[in-house]
Amino acid sequence: MKRDIETEEDVKLLVDTFYAHVNEDGLLAPVFNNVAKVNWQHHLPVMYNFWSSLLFGSMAYKGQPFPKHTRLPIKQEHFGRWVILFTQTIEELFEGTKAEEAKHKAKSIARIFQMRMGLLSLLDQEPGMQ
């Protein structure tokens, strides 16, 4: 039986495993590595803080994630793939209340970013998600 996301080490495992999957993905890896040219040594600790803040209220993340995404050539399919990989990573490693919360937050973030970027309208949302 898998356990829930409970510690900072769990967040680190989630983030590291997720981005390993991203780096193997034919759709997402080029955006992260060739377009955004992500410095992984810098980006991963930022993502640990981001997810720790979201899941545990740690307030470790200080930043605004949205503006960094507006300059990227990303579309709905990129967000869809990101959500799929994130969800699969959680299901691969964890189960429980925090795991479900993390999946919900990832979907919500993707939806909000797409709406702010003009890629998604209220009519495009999943039923019950307005």
Side-chain angles (χ1 to χ4, degrees), residues 55 69 95 103:
L55 295 174
H69 294 81
E95 65 183 11
K103 290 190 283 188

Side-chain angles (χ1 to χ4, degrees), residues 30-39 42-43 64-75 78-79 113 116-117 119:
V31 174
F32 278 85
N33 296 308
N34 303 338
V35 178
K37 298 185 184 333
V38 170
N39 174 337
H42 172 74
H43 187 64
Q64 297 180 334
F66 178 72
K68 296 174 179 107
H69 294 81
T70 59
R71 63 181 174 82
L72 299 173
I74 50 180
K75 299 183 169 130
H78 294 94
F79 285 101
F113 276 31
R116 290 185 68 188
M117 293 173 80
L119 300 173

